[in-house]
Amino acid sequence: MSCLHDVQIKKIGEGTMNTGDTAFILVSAALVMLMTPGLALFYAGMVRSKNVLGTIMQSFILIGFISLEWILWGYSMAFGPDKLGMIGGLEWFGLNGVGLEPHTVYATTIPHQLFMIYQCMFAVITPALITGAFAERMRFGPFLVFSLLWATFVYNPLAHWIWGGGWLSSLGALDFAGGVAVHLSSGVAALACALILGKRRGYQTEELKPHNLPMTLLGAGILWFGWFGFNAGSALAAGSLAGSAFVATHMAGTTGALAWIAIEWRMSGKATTLGAASGAIAGLATVTPAAGFVGPISASIIGLIAGCACYLGIMAKNKFRYDDSLDVVGIHGVGGVVGLLAVGVLASKAINSNGANGLFFGNPGQLGIQCIAIAATIVYTFVITFVLLKIVNKLLGLRVPEHEEISGLDLSQHDETAYTS
Amino acid sequence: MSCLHDVQIKKIGEGTMNTGDTAFILVSAALVMLMTPGLALFYAGMVRSKNVLGTIMQSFILIGFISLEWILWGYSMAFGPDKLGMIGGLEWFGLNGVGLEPHTVYATTIPHQLFMIYQCMFAVITPALITGAFAERMRFGPFLVFSLLWATFVYNPLAHWIWGGGWLSSLGALDFAGGVAVHLSSGVAALACALILGKRRGYQTEELKPHNLPMTLLGAGILWFGWFGFNAGSALAAGSLAGSAFVATHMAGTTGALAWIAIEWRMSGKATTLGAASGAIAGLATVTPAAGFVGPISASIIGLIAGCACYLGIMAKNKFRYDDSLDVVGIHGVGGVVGLLAVGVLASKAINSNGANGLFFGNPGQLGIQCIAIAATIVYTFVITFVLLKIVNKLLGLRVPEHEEISGLDLSQHDETAYTS
Amino acid sequence: MSCLHDVQIKKIGEGTMNTGDTAFILVSAALVMLMTPGLALFYAGMVRSKNVLGTIMQSFILIGFISLEWILWGYSMAFGPDKLGMIGGLEWFGLNGVGLEPHTVYATTIPHQLFMIYQCMFAVITPALITGAFAERMRFGPFLVFSLLWATFVYNPLAHWIWGGGWLSSLGALDFAGGVAVHLSSGVAALACALILGKRRGYQTEELKPHNLPMTLLGAGILWFGWFGFNAGSALAAGSLAGSAFVATHMAGTTGALAWIAIEWRMSGKATTLGAASGAIAGLATVTPAAGFVGPISASIIGLIAGCACYLGIMAKNKFRYDDSLDVVGIHGVGGVVGLLAVGVLASKAINSNGANGLFFGNPGQLGIQCIAIAATIVYTFVITFVLLKIVNKLLGLRVPEHEEISGLDLSQHDETAYTS
Amino acid sequence: MKKIEAIIKPFKLDDVKEALTSLGIKGMTVTEVKGFGRQRGHKEVYRGAEYQIDFVPKTKIEVVIDSESVADVVRVISEHARTGEIGDGKIFVFPVEEALRIRTGESGKDAF
Amino acid sequence: MKKIEAIIKPFKLDDVKEALTSLGIKGMTVTEVKGFGRQRGHKEVYRGAEYQIDFVPKTKIEVVIDSESVADVVRVISEHARTGEIGDGKIFVFPVEEALRIRTGESGKDAF
Amino acid sequence: MKKIEAIIKPFKLDDVKEALTSLGIKGMTVTEVKGFGRQRGHKEVYRGAEYQIDFVPKTKIEVVIDSESVADVVRVISEHARTGEIGDGKIFVFPVEEALRIRTGESGKDAF
Ligand SMILES: Nc1ncnc2c1ncn2[C@@H]1O[C@H](COP(=O)(O)OP(=O)(O)O)[C@@H](O)[C@H]1O
Ligand SMILES: Nc1ncnc2c1ncn2[C@@H]1O[C@H](COP(=O)(O)OP(=O)(O)O)[C@@H](O)[C@H]1O
Ligand SMILES: Nc1ncnc2c1ncn2[C@@H]1O[C@H](COP(=O)(O)OP(=O)(O)O)[C@@H](O)[C@H]1O
């Protein structure tokens, strides 16, 4: 999805379908869809058993909820006709005019609707990522309202800025598959959520431990698998750029996991399996904006840095004592920043001629542009998220009452029990 | 797979392989294969822990059992040379003549064997769907015998009627990816099974609750993922029809889940996670016959109706008091009917020129044809299934004795325990 | 990946990218990656609950660890410029010269780096397979060291011999997707491990039973799914060979499962779900070297033989009383031998013109060549594995002390507990 | 006061609970246990090897009552837990010296 | 010697354990149980059907102590397990005839 | 009649069960419990934070026997459960007033 304006110049008017590209994006869309159930498991394994269904549900239902929002107004706001670089118009409301012919700018060799649904999966998983911040304590109804508002007023504009022909892309900011709109935005939103919702009962006094780590590891495996659709698929064609992004993605996941357990081993004497999973996700998240602009060695370095930086990000939480329950800030927020910076440093036109060179390849300006993208994303996301949360809290109340927190989300929000015999 | 006769006229003689199409169907076949293990988990999470392995096994072993049937005689009966519109001949027994060149009618741009194995996955999952009806009480050996007979005498003819050049397709009945042969047939067969096998011990007196809902949610996620191969793959080419079917599939799953939890919320005050999963499956099942004939908004409406209709379908069970244990009738039976009707109403040649228009697009006759297809499928399936069950019951005995039902299928049928420490 | 030398002659100089082929190998690489988490679950379900994380970790971390080895020196050793038929040179260290253009010999229609990363996934899963042999008793650090050495000194040379232009391929040995380097090598290495590490505490006196068979079945389902990428993907193009390999793979999994439960049924009166899963894996492993050389009926026969042979392989363990904990020898060792022999008997040029005919198709010599490949693999793997284990044991100590074995790997190696409430 | 401890078949729990409630019993505590006794366990097969599992899942019910009710409670439990087949379980009666309701501090008979 | 058996709310376990430790108690045994009592259970919904679950998760603590400590232990448990809401649980006191530490063979008060 | 309650290390259960069977004991009831005692628990790490887990998995065996057998049973359990290391567990003896076999209604010694 990178550099649509360069692409624009070259490809306008082409628009011939390619079966290989179409096959690849069909499958990639399915892969990215699967990431949300994967994330549900990744998160659900880390909560206590009384909250497992509530946690799964917060991801699962967004597949439905945000997809509907997306075909109604989301896609139009993000990718529809640009208005002043800030937002897409509502001309494409209800997919009006979004047909089966390739679009002339976005993904010119696959059906336009396929590009739309592929993007839909990104819109779905982003608010799902945030749910890790308020795990185990948010009311279900208000959660839905907040997610809808957030998707509309945070995700859609950010996606437009960077991928829909908005001002960040005009500026030349590079984000291959979701540093701005997906990872950094969800990480920053997570911080706002953690601050406004407050700590879980028992935070730092009781043992709030994962109830089922194999479930988390399964989720991590599914996420890794789906990430190939996320990053390689963002090449939007089955060619060498996809291959390159695939390799970069895999290597960063790899070195992220290794870096994380290496630090752990030094710090506490043991490597944990949750550390390996967390490091892999950190590497994968961090390389996301860079995947199509860097080679395998650069990607490996990005993963290494990601593993270290996100580990420190998580330690920060223990220090500042906000309860970002499942570490969205530490992983996606820190990862988003590091990844967007890494593009500014390590991007190379030798890998992607539609991209740009970074600092190490003689173009320090790119790093400046990336910093602007980071700053804009942080400020915009934090402010809007904060306001939305305050409003929803005022009107509906975000947090479950204490006795419901004690009995758990599964019973209190859904009248269900996860495990019986 | 729709409308093979139209396609026939156009494509005979073409038969040039396309790597994109082949790539897509290779992956789609793998995706549909994965649905059966997904279904195994979806079902197994809903039974008590003493029956989890027995339930998984009833799906898992059919991958083996029905695949063998399929290459020996099933594919030939379903897709082999037509005999009077009723059945395929046995000329292709043991895949005799089913080679690596594309077939001239079915899927003309991919290897014929690939089309065959893709269809195999449909033949596998259909009897696996039925197992939900007799969960927790059927003997393993007789189950195998019944499934083999059912695949042979119900699935193969139905698949021939609608996809193999049989009378339903000649009549113009439309079924994109499995309303007739997969969902309606399994739903109707499920009713026969529930009636003949009788209720589980403790039905409506004890709590026969799901032992592991996260397992069911994981299964639902895998099913949703695989459904893209099921429905989009049924375009048999990586082009705009596949894109359109993909979008329709996703949207119906989406609105199915939302409709279901909305009703629940009104009726019992809470949205359940099982409701979200059930609604998604209801939407996906219902849109299956329609996926390649309708646009995204129509598909969203189909999902909404599906969520409501299938919810009511399940309530019906509680009223009529048959023990369709995991709600195959309510979801796949009701969904099959609704989906086939929806094609008659919402199909549009603008989406698929090889299809037809439905009622809303000026062609009321299509609805009549769809009704014939529904009626024929219900009557044929119910009668044959009933007879097969009676025979197997007479010869072998379908139901486990009471003490084996109490100790559970895992121990009594397989000498195994699912969980130990 | 078969017969690269034949291919070489035909394809040198071509090197035009094909989007369909690229799409297929991108997805196949993702599928094979997923097999390692699948294997982690398959194995972890079979251990006691105190070892589940340790077992998952032994697979999961190899995704990271071996991938890094692979891009640094592994790929170069296996596929780099041939040195005397024995090993690839280090010219491609750090992917030096491994670019985005297709290679002129390997996979000439996809990016070279994509071929490299696809192969990476094979290099990852092979040492992960071995971990089943020393489950529940190996120290984590020494395990990492051993795996790295094994990948370097056993996997890389073997992969070179058979796929990288080494002496086995020059000799004409056929191995479509991993009989030599993956299954037989891991099976033989497993035997060495079982012998050197010794039995688990309580072996054959206590009940060392699977703690979570549904987890194992889920793992088996994921493995089966991924295997389509493993075997069909090894055609390296989305054409009829991939279709044929797909069908062969599926049928062997199928008949493997059926054969295994049939024997069980006769021997102990019941068919087990673990038996169905084990038989499927046996069939899939066994058909791996043959998948692209045999037709569907031959593949079905291979699966049948595999189910029987591997069942006996496992019985052998009970007799000879070595503790190959999760039956790597019985399944992958026996399966590897049977599969490589099967190629010598059942291979047919009618299926793959770049292959050869086997005994049944008039070419008894092929069987002799296959025997040489088997013998060489067994001897080389056993000797080197034995030596590596001895060295690592001497320097670091392979086995956990008794009290750590009692408390379990999760606590003793990783300071974690898999399940809490 | 006495404590009645009954080891019963798990699927009889609901019956017994209902019966005790009808008798006016207000509370009880239930534990999942494994029993070893005349009722043999079962065979399991793992990769071709057979295991004899000696333990059978059972449910333990504990009720503390005043001494006069012992005979009634024992009778009611044994009637409702009985299937007549081996493994129906046991009832044991223990002396209790003191009982206290945590919430209110009430003790003796008033505690339950 | 006496055995104190307390049925408490699970999330109070840590508090009670700390308090007992402060009192000098060196050991205890804890079991997850299901309680039935005045505190009602909860509703669950499964595919549109509602179920009333009567049992509530509780934690049982068992401590064997010498007879003099009974009053202290009972008091400490009841103070630290109390929330004042229904379902706080019960404390029962039982006579113990003998106690033995397996490792050393010590018996009586020396055993714990 | 007496009830012997033994808290032992889980992996000793099979040994103890065999030994008791040899002694002629026909039945027993087993519960998985968590023990707190001199044997310290273990450290766990979760996302960089360390937790001290105080409870150790233990197995509780309950056997009701006639009063004469007490010494034998206690001796056999303590012999077979002993590893000599800390955490081997305890044996407690309680008075039992009545015992009943549900299936037959037999009571006293005949019940077990
Ligand atoms: N002496 C005993 N002490 C404690 N529990 C016992 C004793 N004997 C039997 N039990 C418990 O009672 C259950 C039923 O006993 P069993 O001998 O199988 O059948 P029955 O009570 O019908 O003779 C056992 O599973 C065990 O839990
Ligand atoms: N008679 C009894 N015998 C044994 N356990 C009891 C008895 N009555 C109550 N309990 C236990 O005490 C718990 C709390 O009792 P409950 O009546 O709910 O509240 P409260 O103690 O506040 O009156 C119950 O869940 C049950 O486990
Ligand atoms: N006073 C007690 N009351 C009840 N159970 C106890 C008591 N003291 C110890 N236990 C149980 O005995 C187990 C072993 O005790 P511990 O002090 O660790 O070792 P040891 O028995 O070798 O001194 C504990 O884990 C606990 O379950």
Side-chain angles (χ1 to χ4, degrees), chain D residues 5 7-9 33-40 54-59 84-92, chain F residues 2-4 25-30 61-65 100-104 106 110-112:
Chain D
E5 217 174 278
I7 319 287
I8 64 169
K9 292 189 169 166
V33 298
K34 300 183 292 180
F36 173 82
R38 277 170 192 77
Q39 182 192 6
R40 307 310 309 164
D54 290 326
F55 290 101
V56 183
K58 296 280 171 195
T59 293
E85 275 165 55
I86 206 159
D88 276 353
K90 317 284 179 195
I91 302 177
F92 304 118
Chain F
K2 305 290 171 197
K3 177 167 83 164
I4 314 289
I25 299 291
K26 295 273 172 0
M28 69 192 80
T29 299
V30 169
I61 303 180
E62 290 167 288
V63 217
V64 176
I65 48 172
L100 183 99
R101 161 174 288 134
I102 292 173
R103 172 164 51 99
T104 57
E106 289 159 287
D110 298 332
F112 38 85

Side-chain angles (χ1 to χ4, degrees), chain E residues 27-29 62-64 101 103 112, chain F residues 7 34-39 58 85-90 92:
Chain E
M28 70 191 80
T29 299
E62 290 168 288
V63 215
V64 175
R101 161 173 289 133
R103 172 165 51 99
F112 39 83
Chain F
I7 319 288
K34 300 183 293 180
F36 174 83
R38 277 171 192 76
Q39 182 192 6
K58 295 281 171 194
E85 275 165 54
I86 207 160
D88 276 352
K90 315 285 179 196
F92 303 118

Side-chain angles (χ1 to χ4, degrees), chain B residues 11-76:
Chain B
K11 297 222 171 158
I12 273 187
E14 282 196 17
T16 34
M17 295 262 302
N18 178 297
T19 57
D21 295 346
T22 302
F24 181 51
I25 303 307
L26 283 163
V27 178
S28 292
L31 285 169
V32 184
M33 186 317 280
L34 185 66
M35 291 177 78
T36 300
L39 180 72
L41 296 174
F42 182 72
Y43 278 172
M46 279 189 272
V47 301
R48 287 163 292 169
S49 62
K50 62 185 177 183
N51 295 316
V52 52
L53 293 175
T55 302
I56 290 177
M57 185 69 159
Q58 288 180 349
S59 289
F60 192 86
I61 202 61
L62 291 184
I63 306 178
F65 210 50
I66 301 300
S67 296
L68 194 56
E69 179 267 339
W70 189 251
I71 68 156
L72 291 180
W73 61 82
Y75 182 62
S76 195

Side-chain angles (χ1 to χ4, degrees), chain D residues 42-106:
Chain D
H42 57 265
K43 186 181 82 169
E44 287 185 22
V45 173
Y46 170 48
R47 284 274 171 81
E50 296 194 0
Y51 291 86
Q52 180 59 33
I53 307 297
D54 290 326
F55 290 101
V56 183
K58 296 280 171 195
T59 293
K60 187 208 276 186
I61 302 179
E62 290 166 288
V63 216
V64 176
I65 48 173
D66 52 43
S67 306
E68 303 94 77
S69 319
V70 169
D72 282 351
V73 168
V74 167
R75 184 181 40 78
V76 158
I77 294 179
S78 83
E79 276 170 13
H80 286 86
R82 186 177 300 140
T83 66
E85 275 165 55
I86 206 159
D88 276 353
K90 317 284 179 195
I91 302 177
F92 304 118
V93 181
F94 301 90
V96 179
E97 303 195 341
E98 229 180 277
L100 184 99
R101 160 173 290 132
I102 291 171
R103 171 165 51 99
T104 59
E106 289 159 288

Side-chain angles (χ1 to χ4, degrees), chain B residues 1 62-80 90 92-96 98 106 112-127 148 150-152 154-160 163-164 181, chain C residues 247 250-251 254 258 296-297 300:
Chain B
M1 290 174 284
L62 291 184
I63 306 178
F65 210 50
I66 301 300
S67 296
L68 194 56
E69 179 267 339
W70 189 251
I71 68 156
L72 291 180
W73 61 82
Y75 182 62
S76 195
M77 284 179 70
F79 290 91
L90 291 178
W92 296 354
F93 185 93
L95 300 186
N96 181 30
V98 179
Y106 309 129
H112 187 188
Q113 275 192 16
L114 176 56
F115 175 76
M116 178 282 300
I117 203 76
Y118 177 64
Q119 290 300 334
C120 175
M121 306 311 180
F122 288 66
V124 163
I125 199 172
T126 306
L148 186 65
W150 193 89
T152 302
V154 181
Y155 184 82
N156 293 343
L158 288 178
H160 185 77
W163 293 327
Chain C
V247 174
H250 187 66
M251 291 318 303
T254 274
L258 295 175
I297 301 297
S300 302

